[in-house]
mmCIF file of all heavy atoms in Angstrom:
data_model
loop_
_atom_site.group_PDB
_atom_site.id
_atom_site.type_symbol
_atom_site.label_atom_id
_atom_site.label_comp_id
_atom_site.label_asym_id
_atom_site.label_seq_id
_atom_site.Cartn_x
_atom_site.Cartn_y
_atom_site.Cartn_z
ATOM 1 N N GLN B 350 14.620 10.870 -14.139
ATOM 2 C CA GLN B 350 13.347 11.270 -14.740
ATOM 3 C C GLN B 350 12.997 12.736 -14.519
ATOM 4 O O GLN B 350 12.004 13.215 -15.037
ATOM 5 C CB GLN B 350 12.199 10.412 -14.183
ATOM 6 C CG GLN B 350 12.255 8.964 -14.557
ATOM 7 C CD GLN B 350 13.312 8.210 -13.772
ATOM 8 O OE1 GLN B 350 13.739 8.652 -12.702
ATOM 9 N NE2 GLN B 350 13.754 7.090 -14.291
ATOM 10 N N VAL B 351 13.779 13.462 -13.726
ATOM 11 C CA VAL B 351 13.423 14.855 -13.479
ATOM 12 C C VAL B 351 14.264 15.791 -14.343
ATOM 13 O O VAL B 351 15.373 15.451 -14.749
ATOM 14 C CB VAL B 351 13.597 15.238 -11.989
ATOM 15 C CG1 VAL B 351 12.700 14.397 -11.110
ATOM 16 C CG2 VAL B 351 15.043 15.123 -11.555
ATOM 17 N N LYS B 352 13.712 16.952 -14.611
ATOM 18 C CA LYS B 352 14.451 17.951 -15.379
ATOM 19 C C LYS B 352 15.617 18.446 -14.527
ATOM 20 O O LYS B 352 15.449 18.756 -13.351
ATOM 21 C CB LYS B 352 13.533 19.121 -15.700
ATOM 22 C CG LYS B 352 12.507 18.799 -16.742
ATOM 23 C CD LYS B 352 12.337 19.982 -17.685
ATOM 24 C CE LYS B 352 11.436 19.655 -18.841
ATOM 25 N NZ LYS B 352 11.858 18.516 -19.656
ATOM 26 N N GLY B 353 16.779 18.513 -15.168
ATOM 27 C CA GLY B 353 17.934 19.020 -14.449
ATOM 28 C C GLY B 353 18.812 17.915 -13.888
ATOM 29 O O GLY B 353 19.844 18.189 -13.305
ATOM 30 N N ASN B 354 18.406 16.671 -14.081
ATOM 31 C CA ASN B 354 19.285 15.581 -13.677
ATOM 32 C C ASN B 354 20.523 15.630 -14.558
ATOM 33 O O ASN B 354 20.434 15.879 -15.750
ATOM 34 C CB ASN B 354 18.576 14.236 -13.847
ATOM 35 C CG ASN B 354 19.500 13.067 -13.660
ATOM 36 O OD1 ASN B 354 19.996 12.491 -14.620
ATOM 37 N ND2 ASN B 354 19.791 12.732 -12.424
ATOM 38 N N GLN B 355 21.679 15.453 -13.959
ATOM 39 C CA GLN B 355 22.905 15.626 -14.736
ATOM 40 C C GLN B 355 23.930 14.540 -14.424
ATOM 41 O O GLN B 355 23.858 13.872 -13.401
ATOM 42 C CB GLN B 355 23.509 16.988 -14.409
ATOM 43 C CG GLN B 355 23.792 17.129 -12.914
ATOM 44 C CD GLN B 355 24.299 18.500 -12.528
ATOM 45 O OE1 GLN B 355 24.815 19.215 -13.364
ATOM 46 N NE2 GLN B 355 24.170 18.859 -11.260
ATOM 47 N N ASP B 356 24.859 14.407 -15.350
ATOM 48 C CA ASP B 356 25.986 13.519 -15.114
ATOM 49 C C ASP B 356 26.980 14.292 -14.253
ATOM 50 O O ASP B 356 27.523 15.306 -14.674
ATOM 51 C CB ASP B 356 26.614 13.139 -16.456
ATOM 52 C CG ASP B 356 27.746 12.159 -16.259
ATOM 53 O OD1 ASP B 356 27.974 11.743 -15.098
ATOM 54 O OD2 ASP B 356 28.412 11.816 -17.250
ATOM 55 N N LEU B 357 27.188 13.829 -13.042
ATOM 56 C CA LEU B 357 27.994 14.616 -12.104
ATOM 57 C C LEU B 357 29.492 14.439 -12.306
ATOM 58 O O LEU B 357 30.298 15.132 -11.712
ATOM 59 C CB LEU B 357 27.622 14.257 -10.662
ATOM 60 C CG LEU B 357 26.330 14.903 -10.153
ATOM 61 C CD1 LEU B 357 25.949 14.314 -8.827
ATOM 62 C CD2 LEU B 357 26.495 16.400 -10.046
ATOM 63 N N ASP B 358 29.853 13.480 -13.132
ATOM 64 C CA ASP B 358 31.263 13.255 -13.405
ATOM 65 C C ASP B 358 32.064 13.073 -12.114
ATOM 66 O O ASP B 358 33.028 13.777 -11.849
ATOM 67 C CB ASP B 358 31.825 14.432 -14.232
ATOM 68 C CG ASP B 358 33.221 14.111 -14.759
ATOM 69 O OD1 ASP B 358 33.482 12.907 -14.977
ATOM 70 O OD2 ASP B 358 34.030 15.044 -14.918
ATOM 71 N N THR B 359 31.598 12.149 -11.295
ATOM 72 C CA THR B 359 32.292 11.903 -10.039
ATOM 73 C C THR B 359 32.338 10.402 -9.799
ATOM 74 O O THR B 359 31.543 9.651 -10.358
ATOM 75 C CB THR B 359 31.560 12.578 -8.860
ATOM 76 O OG1 THR B 359 32.119 12.091 -7.657
ATOM 77 C CG2 THR B 359 30.075 12.266 -8.872
ATOM 78 N N GLU B 360 33.295 9.994 -8.978
ATOM 79 C CA GLU B 360 33.389 8.559 -8.693
ATOM 80 C C GLU B 360 32.792 8.223 -7.339
ATOM 81 O O GLU B 360 32.834 7.088 -6.882
ATOM 82 C CB GLU B 360 34.864 8.127 -8.727
ATOM 83 C CG GLU B 360 35.372 8.011 -10.139
ATOM 84 C CD GLU B 360 36.873 7.919 -10.191
ATOM 85 O OE1 GLU B 360 37.512 7.829 -9.125
ATOM 86 O OE2 GLU B 360 37.412 7.950 -11.308
ATOM 87 N N VAL B 361 32.199 9.248 -6.706
ATOM 88 C CA VAL B 361 31.706 9.069 -5.336
ATOM 89 C C VAL B 361 30.638 7.977 -5.242
ATOM 90 O O VAL B 361 30.474 7.341 -4.213
ATOM 91 C CB VAL B 361 31.185 10.413 -4.800
ATOM 92 C CG1 VAL B 361 30.460 10.242 -3.482
ATOM 93 C CG2 VAL B 361 32.353 11.374 -4.619
ATOM 94 N N PHE B 362 29.913 7.765 -6.343
ATOM 95 C CA PHE B 362 28.832 6.788 -6.279
ATOM 96 C C PHE B 362 29.241 5.425 -6.841
ATOM 97 O O PHE B 362 28.421 4.545 -7.004
ATOM 98 C CB PHE B 362 27.599 7.324 -7.016
ATOM 99 C CG PHE B 362 27.154 8.666 -6.503
ATOM 100 C CD1 PHE B 362 27.288 9.807 -7.266
ATOM 101 C CD2 PHE B 362 26.622 8.773 -5.216
ATOM 102 C CE1 PHE B 362 26.886 11.045 -6.773
ATOM 103 C CE2 PHE B 362 26.221 10.003 -4.719
ATOM 104 C CZ PHE B 362 26.358 11.141 -5.496
ATOM 105 N N ASP B 363 30.530 5.294 -7.177
ATOM 106 C CA ASP B 363 31.009 3.999 -7.679
ATOM 107 C C ASP B 363 31.664 3.209 -6.560
ATOM 108 O O ASP B 363 32.253 3.772 -5.637
ATOM 109 C CB ASP B 363 32.033 4.211 -8.806
ATOM 110 C CG ASP B 363 31.426 4.992 -9.951
ATOM 111 O OD1 ASP B 363 30.201 4.880 -10.144
ATOM 112 O OD2 ASP B 363 32.173 5.730 -10.630
ATOM 113 N N TYR B 364 31.565 1.897 -6.689
ATOM 114 C CA TYR B 364 32.142 1.014 -5.673
ATOM 115 C C TYR B 364 33.653 0.936 -5.867
ATOM 116 O O TYR B 364 34.144 0.591 -6.944
ATOM 117 C CB TYR B 364 31.518 -0.368 -5.809
ATOM 118 C CG TYR B 364 32.031 -1.387 -4.834
ATOM 119 C CD1 TYR B 364 31.964 -1.168 -3.459
ATOM 120 C CD2 TYR B 364 32.569 -2.597 -5.289
ATOM 121 C CE1 TYR B 364 32.421 -2.115 -2.563
ATOM 122 C CE2 TYR B 364 33.026 -3.556 -4.397
ATOM 123 C CZ TYR B 364 32.951 -3.308 -3.030
ATOM 124 O OH TYR B 364 33.395 -4.244 -2.148
ATOM 125 N N ASN B 365 34.401 1.300 -4.830
ATOM 126 C CA ASN B 365 35.851 1.257 -4.906
ATOM 127 C C ASN B 365 36.432 1.154 -3.486
ATOM 128 O O ASN B 365 36.694 2.167 -2.843
ATOM 129 C CB ASN B 365 36.367 2.514 -5.613
ATOM 130 C CG ASN B 365 37.857 2.440 -5.882
ATOM 131 O OD1 ASN B 365 38.578 1.665 -5.245
ATOM 132 N ND2 ASN B 365 38.324 3.245 -6.823
ATOM 133 N N PRO B 366 36.605 -0.064 -3.013
ATOM 134 C CA PRO B 366 36.997 -0.275 -1.606
ATOM 135 C C PRO B 366 38.304 0.442 -1.235
ATOM 136 O O PRO B 366 38.391 1.020 -0.146
ATOM 137 C CB PRO B 366 37.163 -1.780 -1.500
ATOM 138 C CG PRO B 366 36.459 -2.354 -2.663
ATOM 139 C CD PRO B 366 36.440 -1.317 -3.729
ATOM 140 N N ASP B 367 39.284 0.424 -2.151
ATOM 141 C CA ASP B 367 40.580 1.022 -1.807
ATOM 142 C C ASP B 367 40.440 2.524 -1.604
ATOM 143 O O ASP B 367 40.921 3.102 -0.629
ATOM 144 C CB ASP B 367 41.610 0.749 -2.911
ATOM 145 C CG ASP B 367 41.844 -0.744 -3.055
ATOM 146 O OD1 ASP B 367 41.687 -1.446 -2.035
ATOM 147 O OD2 ASP B 367 42.147 -1.198 -4.173
ATOM 148 N N GLU B 368 39.747 3.154 -2.594
ATOM 149 C CA GLU B 368 39.528 4.585 -2.523
ATOM 150 C C GLU B 368 38.699 4.917 -1.276
ATOM 151 O O GLU B 368 38.947 5.922 -0.596
ATOM 152 C CB GLU B 368 38.802 5.026 -3.799
ATOM 153 C CG GLU B 368 38.755 6.511 -4.045
ATOM 154 C CD GLU B 368 40.145 7.121 -4.251
ATOM 155 O OE1 GLU B 368 41.070 6.390 -4.657
ATOM 156 O OE2 GLU B 368 40.283 8.327 -3.964
ATOM 157 N N ALA B 369 37.711 4.064 -0.986
ATOM 158 C CA ALA B 369 36.850 4.280 0.171
ATOM 159 C C ALA B 369 37.672 4.330 1.448
ATOM 160 O O ALA B 369 37.538 5.247 2.271
ATOM 161 C CB ALA B 369 35.805 3.164 0.251
ATOM 162 N N LYS B 370 38.549 3.341 1.605
ATOM 163 C CA LYS B 370 39.394 3.279 2.811
ATOM 164 C C LYS B 370 40.262 4.533 2.910
ATOM 165 O O LYS B 370 40.414 5.132 3.965
ATOM 166 C CB LYS B 370 40.284 2.029 2.751
ATOM 167 C CG LYS B 370 39.777 0.918 3.677
ATOM 168 C CD LYS B 370 40.707 -0.276 3.657
ATOM 169 C CE LYS B 370 40.258 -1.264 2.614
ATOM 170 N NZ LYS B 370 41.055 -2.422 2.386
ATOM 171 N N LYS B 371 40.806 4.906 1.751
ATOM 172 C CA LYS B 371 41.695 6.062 1.719
ATOM 173 C C LYS B 371 40.964 7.337 2.154
ATOM 174 O O LYS B 371 41.446 8.107 2.987
ATOM 175 C CB LYS B 371 42.252 6.227 0.291
ATOM 176 C CG LYS B 371 43.642 6.843 0.266
ATOM 177 C CD LYS B 371 44.184 6.952 -1.149
ATOM 178 C CE LYS B 371 43.997 8.325 -1.691
ATOM 179 N NZ LYS B 371 44.092 8.414 -3.149
ATOM 180 N N LEU B 372 39.773 7.538 1.570
ATOM 181 C CA LEU B 372 39.010 8.753 1.855
ATOM 182 C C LEU B 372 38.610 8.833 3.336
ATOM 183 O O LEU B 372 38.686 9.886 3.965
ATOM 184 C CB LEU B 372 37.749 8.813 0.984
ATOM 185 C CG LEU B 372 37.947 9.341 -0.442
ATOM 186 C CD1 LEU B 372 36.716 9.080 -1.282
ATOM 187 C CD2 LEU B 372 38.275 10.833 -0.413
ATOM 188 N N ILE B 373 38.193 7.696 3.861
ATOM 189 C CA ILE B 373 37.783 7.695 5.264
ATOM 190 C C ILE B 373 38.971 8.040 6.154
ATOM 191 O O ILE B 373 38.861 8.801 7.118
ATOM 192 C CB ILE B 373 37.174 6.326 5.645
ATOM 193 C CG1 ILE B 373 35.836 6.152 4.920
ATOM 194 C CG2 ILE B 373 36.982 6.211 7.149
ATOM 195 C CD1 ILE B 373 35.171 4.831 5.144
ATOM 196 N N LYS B 374 40.120 7.493 5.781
ATOM 197 C CA LYS B 374 41.331 7.774 6.565
ATOM 198 C C LYS B 374 41.695 9.263 6.489
ATOM 199 O O LYS B 374 41.954 9.912 7.496
ATOM 200 C CB LYS B 374 42.485 6.925 6.022
ATOM 201 C CG LYS B 374 43.525 6.641 7.085
ATOM 202 C CD LYS B 374 44.507 5.604 6.592
ATOM 203 C CE LYS B 374 45.761 5.646 7.449
ATOM 204 N NZ LYS B 374 46.884 5.009 6.756
ATOM 205 N N GLU B 375 41.631 9.801 5.269
ATOM 206 C CA GLU B 375 41.933 11.215 5.089
ATOM 207 C C GLU B 375 40.981 12.111 5.858
ATOM 208 O O GLU B 375 41.353 13.170 6.361
ATOM 209 C CB GLU B 375 41.821 11.596 3.598
ATOM 210 C CG GLU B 375 43.032 11.225 2.775
ATOM 211 C CD GLU B 375 42.814 11.494 1.296
ATOM 212 O OE1 GLU B 375 41.959 12.340 0.969
ATOM 213 O OE2 GLU B 375 43.473 10.837 0.494
ATOM 214 N N GLY B 376 39.730 11.658 5.922
ATOM 215 C CA GLY B 376 38.714 12.455 6.605
ATOM 216 C C GLY B 376 38.777 12.303 8.115
ATOM 217 O O GLY B 376 37.913 12.816 8.823
ATOM 218 N N GLY B 377 39.728 11.534 8.608
ATOM 219 C CA GLY B 377 39.857 11.398 10.061
ATOM 220 C C GLY B 377 39.134 10.180 10.625
ATOM 221 O O GLY B 377 38.991 10.030 11.824
ATOM 222 N N GLY B 378 38.667 9.317 9.731
ATOM 223 C CA GLY B 378 38.046 8.075 10.188
ATOM 224 C C GLY B 378 36.633 8.267 10.707
ATOM 225 O O GLY B 378 36.175 9.392 10.926
ATOM 226 N N VAL B 379 35.927 7.140 10.886
ATOM 227 C CA VAL B 379 34.571 7.179 11.431
ATOM 228 C C VAL B 379 34.659 7.144 12.951
ATOM 229 O O VAL B 379 35.236 6.215 13.502
ATOM 230 C CB VAL B 379 33.755 5.969 10.923
ATOM 231 C CG1 VAL B 379 32.404 5.914 11.604
ATOM 232 C CG2 VAL B 379 33.598 6.021 9.419
ATOM 233 N N PRO B 380 34.124 8.153 13.626
ATOM 234 C CA PRO B 380 34.153 8.126 15.094
ATOM 235 C C PRO B 380 33.534 6.826 15.612
ATOM 236 O O PRO B 380 32.502 6.391 15.095
ATOM 237 C CB PRO B 380 33.291 9.335 15.479
ATOM 238 C CG PRO B 380 33.320 10.239 14.296
ATOM 239 C CD PRO B 380 33.466 9.363 13.100
ATOM 240 N N ASP B 381 34.136 6.218 16.593
ATOM 241 C CA ASP B 381 33.712 4.935 17.189
ATOM 242 C C ASP B 381 33.903 3.760 16.227
ATOM 243 O O ASP B 381 33.667 2.622 16.591
ATOM 244 C CB ASP B 381 32.231 4.916 17.615
ATOM 245 C CG ASP B 381 31.865 6.115 18.448
ATOM 246 O OD1 ASP B 381 32.779 6.648 19.110
ATOM 247 O OD2 ASP B 381 30.696 6.522 18.430
ATOM 248 N N ASN B 382 34.275 4.073 14.960
ATOM 249 C CA ASN B 382 34.435 3.024 13.963
ATOM 250 C C ASN B 382 33.204 2.130 13.835
ATOM 251 O O ASN B 382 33.291 0.936 13.565
ATOM 252 C CB ASN B 382 35.653 2.156 14.292
ATOM 253 C CG ASN B 382 36.273 1.615 13.022
ATOM 254 O OD1 ASN B 382 36.237 2.278 11.985
ATOM 255 N ND2 ASN B 382 36.820 0.409 13.097
ATOM 256 N N LYS B 383 32.028 2.727 14.050
ATOM 257 C CA LYS B 383 30.801 1.934 14.026
ATOM 258 C C LYS B 383 29.640 2.814 13.596
ATOM 259 O O LYS B 383 29.473 3.908 14.133
ATOM 260 C CB LYS B 383 30.560 1.403 15.445
ATOM 261 C CG LYS B 383 29.429 0.424 15.565
ATOM 262 C CD LYS B 383 29.393 -0.070 17.005
ATOM 263 C CE LYS B 383 28.428 -1.216 17.197
ATOM 264 N NZ LYS B 383 28.383 -1.681 18.564
ATOM 265 N N ILE B 384 28.866 2.361 12.625
ATOM 266 C CA ILE B 384 27.701 3.136 12.222
ATOM 267 C C ILE B 384 26.434 2.291 12.293
ATOM 268 O O ILE B 384 26.487 1.053 12.296
ATOM 269 C CB ILE B 384 27.847 3.696 10.784
ATOM 270 C CG1 ILE B 384 27.995 2.557 9.773
ATOM 271 C CG2 ILE B 384 29.005 4.661 10.687
ATOM 272 C CD1 ILE B 384 27.986 3.037 8.340
ATOM 273 N N PHE B 385 25.299 2.975 12.402
ATOM 274 C CA PHE B 385 23.998 2.303 12.411
ATOM 275 C C PHE B 385 23.152 2.862 11.274
ATOM 276 O O PHE B 385 23.275 4.031 10.932
ATOM 277 C CB PHE B 385 23.252 2.572 13.713
ATOM 278 C CG PHE B 385 23.911 1.984 14.923
ATOM 279 C CD1 PHE B 385 24.838 2.711 15.663
ATOM 280 C CD2 PHE B 385 23.595 0.691 15.325
ATOM 281 C CE1 PHE B 385 25.441 2.159 16.780
ATOM 282 C CE2 PHE B 385 24.198 0.131 16.441
ATOM 283 C CZ PHE B 385 25.122 0.879 17.168
ATOM 284 N N ILE B 386 22.310 2.023 10.709
ATOM 285 C CA ILE B 386 21.340 2.520 9.732
ATOM 286 C C ILE B 386 19.945 2.229 10.270
ATOM 287 O O ILE B 386 19.556 1.072 10.428
ATOM 288 C CB ILE B 386 21.509 1.848 8.361
ATOM 289 C CG1 ILE B 386 22.927 2.080 7.827
ATOM 290 C CG2 ILE B 386 20.470 2.372 7.373
ATOM 291 C CD1 ILE B 386 23.235 1.341 6.550
ATOM 292 N N GLN B 387 19.222 3.297 10.576
ATOM 293 C CA GLN B 387 17.874 3.117 11.113
ATOM 294 C C GLN B 387 16.888 2.876 9.987
ATOM 295 O O GLN B 387 16.887 3.567 8.978
ATOM 296 C CB GLN B 387 17.474 4.376 11.896
ATOM 297 C CG GLN B 387 16.041 4.337 12.383
ATOM 298 C CD GLN B 387 15.668 5.590 13.148
ATOM 299 O OE1 GLN B 387 16.401 6.043 14.025
ATOM 300 N NE2 GLN B 387 14.533 6.161 12.808
ATOM 301 N N TYR B 388 16.029 1.865 10.174
ATOM 302 C CA TYR B 388 15.008 1.575 9.161
ATOM 303 C C TYR B 388 13.778 1.023 9.845
ATOM 304 O O TYR B 388 13.815 0.655 11.015
ATOM 305 C CB TYR B 388 15.555 0.576 8.135
ATOM 306 C CG TYR B 388 15.831 -0.790 8.707
ATOM 307 C CD1 TYR B 388 14.916 -1.829 8.545
ATOM 308 C CD2 TYR B 388 16.990 -1.044 9.432
ATOM 309 C CE1 TYR B 388 15.162 -3.077 9.087
ATOM 310 C CE2 TYR B 388 17.241 -2.291 9.982
ATOM 311 C CZ TYR B 388 16.326 -3.304 9.806
ATOM 312 O OH TYR B 388 16.552 -4.533 10.355
ATOM 313 N N ASN B 389 12.669 0.987 9.111
ATOM 314 C CA ASN B 389 11.445 0.404 9.657
ATOM 315 C C ASN B 389 11.260 -0.999 9.114
ATOM 316 O O ASN B 389 11.406 -1.234 7.911
ATOM 317 C CB ASN B 389 10.224 1.270 9.344
ATOM 318 C CG ASN B 389 10.172 1.691 7.893
ATOM 319 O OD1 ASN B 389 11.172 2.087 7.315
ATOM 320 N ND2 ASN B 389 9.007 1.586 7.296
ATOM 321 N N THR B 390 10.941 -1.937 9.994
ATOM 322 C CA THR B 390 10.893 -3.343 9.571
ATOM 323 C C THR B 390 9.617 -3.682 8.813
ATOM 324 O O THR B 390 9.499 -4.779 8.295
ATOM 325 C CB THR B 390 10.982 -4.289 10.782
ATOM 326 O OG1 THR B 390 10.040 -3.845 11.754
ATOM 327 C CG2 THR B 390 12.362 -4.280 11.382
ATOM 328 N N ASP B 391 8.644 -2.749 8.755
ATOM 329 C CA ASP B 391 7.402 -3.102 8.063
ATOM 330 C C ASP B 391 7.417 -2.712 6.589
ATOM 331 O O ASP B 391 6.396 -2.723 5.933
ATOM 332 C CB ASP B 391 6.187 -2.479 8.770
ATOM 333 C CG ASP B 391 6.267 -0.956 8.795
ATOM 334 O OD1 ASP B 391 7.357 -0.420 8.500
ATOM 335 O OD2 ASP B 391 5.262 -0.300 9.111
ATOM 336 N N GLY B 392 8.582 -2.359 6.061
ATOM 337 C CA GLY B 392 8.582 -1.896 4.678
ATOM 338 C C GLY B 392 9.497 -2.683 3.760
ATOM 339 O O GLY B 392 9.808 -2.231 2.664
ATOM 340 N N GLY B 393 9.966 -3.850 4.195
ATOM 341 C CA GLY B 393 10.840 -4.658 3.346
ATOM 342 C C GLY B 393 12.230 -4.061 3.166
ATOM 343 O O GLY B 393 12.842 -4.197 2.109
ATOM 344 N N HIS B 394 12.721 -3.369 4.188
ATOM 345 C CA HIS B 394 14.028 -2.724 4.047
ATOM 346 C C HIS B 394 15.178 -3.524 4.643
ATOM 347 O O HIS B 394 16.339 -3.264 4.374
ATOM 348 C CB HIS B 394 14.010 -1.344 4.710
ATOM 349 C CG HIS B 394 12.978 -0.435 4.134
ATOM 350 N ND1 HIS B 394 13.012 -0.014 2.832
ATOM 351 C CD2 HIS B 394 11.865 0.115 4.674
ATOM 352 C CE1 HIS B 394 11.965 0.768 2.604
ATOM 353 N NE2 HIS B 394 11.252 0.853 3.698
ATOM 354 N N LYS B 395 14.831 -4.482 5.487
ATOM 355 C CA LYS B 395 15.857 -5.180 6.249
ATOM 356 C C LYS B 395 16.934 -5.793 5.342
ATOM 357 O O LYS B 395 18.127 -5.692 5.620
ATOM 358 C CB LYS B 395 15.198 -6.284 7.079
ATOM 359 C CG LYS B 395 16.176 -6.961 7.972
ATOM 360 C CD LYS B 395 15.513 -7.944 8.904
ATOM 361 C CE LYS B 395 16.580 -8.493 9.807
ATOM 362 N NZ LYS B 395 16.522 -9.913 9.952
ATOM 363 N N GLU B 396 16.499 -6.394 4.251
ATOM 364 C CA GLU B 396 17.416 -7.128 3.385
ATOM 365 C C GLU B 396 18.507 -6.220 2.833
ATOM 366 O O GLU B 396 19.689 -6.540 2.902
ATOM 367 C CB GLU B 396 16.649 -7.805 2.246
ATOM 368 C CG GLU B 396 15.780 -8.970 2.680
ATOM 369 C CD GLU B 396 14.518 -8.552 3.416
ATOM 370 O OE1 GLU B 396 14.153 -7.355 3.357
ATOM 371 O OE2 GLU B 396 13.895 -9.404 4.081
ATOM 372 N N TRP B 397 18.080 -5.076 2.289
ATOM 373 C CA TRP B 397 19.111 -4.233 1.676
ATOM 374 C C TRP B 397 19.954 -3.516 2.720
ATOM 375 O O TRP B 397 21.137 -3.263 2.496
ATOM 376 C CB TRP B 397 18.537 -3.303 0.622
ATOM 377 C CG TRP B 397 17.630 -2.186 1.070
ATOM 378 C CD1 TRP B 397 16.277 -2.159 0.936
ATOM 379 C CD2 TRP B 397 18.008 -0.956 1.689
ATOM 380 N NE1 TRP B 397 15.791 -0.980 1.439
ATOM 381 C CE2 TRP B 397 16.822 -0.223 1.913
ATOM 382 C CE3 TRP B 397 19.215 -0.389 2.090
ATOM 383 C CZ2 TRP B 397 16.812 1.033 2.506
ATOM 384 C CZ3 TRP B 397 19.197 0.867 2.688
ATOM 385 C CH2 TRP B 397 18.011 1.563 2.892
ATOM 386 N N VAL B 398 19.378 -3.207 3.875
ATOM 387 C CA VAL B 398 20.175 -2.563 4.928
ATOM 388 C C VAL B 398 21.297 -3.522 5.351
ATOM 389 O O VAL B 398 22.458 -3.137 5.495
ATOM 390 C CB VAL B 398 19.296 -2.179 6.141
ATOM 391 C CG1 VAL B 398 20.161 -1.783 7.325
ATOM 392 C CG2 VAL B 398 18.366 -1.031 5.773
ATOM 393 N N THR B 399 20.921 -4.784 5.506
ATOM 394 C CA THR B 399 21.923 -5.785 5.857
ATOM 395 C C THR B 399 23.010 -5.867 4.785
ATOM 396 O O THR B 399 24.209 -5.925 5.091
ATOM 397 C CB THR B 399 21.259 -7.176 5.999
ATOM 398 O OG1 THR B 399 20.076 -7.013 6.773
ATOM 399 C CG2 THR B 399 22.178 -8.158 6.659
ATOM 400 N N ALA B 400 22.583 -5.832 3.528
ATOM 401 C CA ALA B 400 23.552 -5.943 2.433
ATOM 402 C C ALA B 400 24.469 -4.726 2.376
ATOM 403 O O ALA B 400 25.682 -4.853 2.174
ATOM 404 C CB ALA B 400 22.817 -6.110 1.105
ATOM 405 N N VAL B 401 23.889 -3.533 2.565
ATOM 406 C CA VAL B 401 24.698 -2.311 2.543
ATOM 407 C C VAL B 401 25.722 -2.362 3.679
ATOM 408 O O VAL B 401 26.899 -2.037 3.501
ATOM 409 C CB VAL B 401 23.798 -1.056 2.665
ATOM 410 C CG1 VAL B 401 24.615 0.165 3.017
ATOM 411 C CG2 VAL B 401 23.039 -0.822 1.364
ATOM 412 N N CYS B 402 25.279 -2.781 4.837
ATOM 413 C CA CYS B 402 26.178 -2.877 5.985
ATOM 414 C C CYS B 402 27.315 -3.854 5.718
ATOM 415 O O CYS B 402 28.476 -3.585 6.004
ATOM 416 C CB CYS B 402 25.396 -3.316 7.224
ATOM 417 S SG CYS B 402 24.752 -1.905 8.133
#
Side-chain angles (χ1 to χ4, degrees):
Chain B
Q350 294 75 21
V351 299
K352 287 220 173 303
N354 171 262
Q355 58 184 338
D356 183 4
L357 281 171
D358 191 29
T359 169
E360 284 166 6
V361 171
F362 305 111
D363 301 331
Y364 179 57
N365 187 340
D367 298 331
E368 193 63 25
K370 256 183 268 176
K371 210 178 99 198
L372 278 168
I373 291 177
K374 207 170 162 199
E375 280 174 23
V379 174
D381 310 333
N382 211 32
K383 187 176 189 180
I384 61 174
F385 294 91
I386 302 174
Q387 175 180 313
Y388 66 99
N389 48 316
T390 49
D391 61 347
H394 301 296
K395 185 174 184 226
E396 290 74 15
W397 68 256
V398 168
T399 314
V401 165
C402 270

